[in-house]
Amino acid sequence: MGCRSFREPVVVWLDPKHPEFGIRCIETVTDGLAALHRYDLGSARHGPSCRFWNEAAGALVRARAEPTADNIDRAHLAFERLVAEVAPVPPAIRRRVTPRSLLGLLTA
């Protein structure tokens, strides 16, 4: 892990409307920035969740420019909030479709 890695990955559903399509683990600031425009997160930029998208984008950009532990933690938290707001998946579905090796990373 590099200096811009999150302490824990953020698990993003590739398509929240079809959780069986799988998941992606976002482990770095760079991955987080790329994910802002993928996995149904990009649509949040102009929708009712735009505040979460803007907060995540700003925090991730700061963490990329100044990769301090505090900035990376703030970026991680902001990105997690965006994912929780835009792409929530019911716990029963999450447990059914998540590989066993990742179940410990997800909260019910």
Side-chain angles (χ1 to χ4, degrees):
M1 289 196 172
C3 63
R4 293 184 178 141
S5 295
F6 295 144
R7 291 177 196 220
E8 295 179 349
V10 177
V11 178
V12 179
W13 297 88
L14 299 181
D15 183 349
K17 295 175 186 86
H18 298 81
E20 68 276 8
F21 290 172
I23 58 176
R24 175 81 182 231
C25 289
I26 306 301
E27 300 184 58
T28 67
V29 170
T30 302
D31 291 344
L33 284 166
L36 287 177
H37 301 285
R38 298 184 182 124
Y39 318 126
D40 219 28
L41 299 179
S43 62
R45 185 175 190 183
H46 301 292
S49 301
C50 67
R51 176 177 67 95
F52 295 98
W53 194 96
N54 290 329
E55 287 174 3
L60 287 162
V61 167
R62 274 189 301 281
R64 181 180 62 187
E66 298 176 41
T68 65
D70 284 343
N71 283 346
I72 292 170
D73 286 345
R74 285 187 193 107
H76 181 261
L77 287 172
F79 188 70
E80 272 188 325
R81 281 193 297 269
L82 172 64
V83 169
E85 175 69 19
V86 175
V89 175
I93 293 172
R94 181 183 297 141
R95 283 189 295 274
R96 190 176 75 231
V97 300
T98 302
R100 292 180 195 269
S101 61
L102 295 176
L103 277 175
L105 300 175
L106 304 172
T107 57

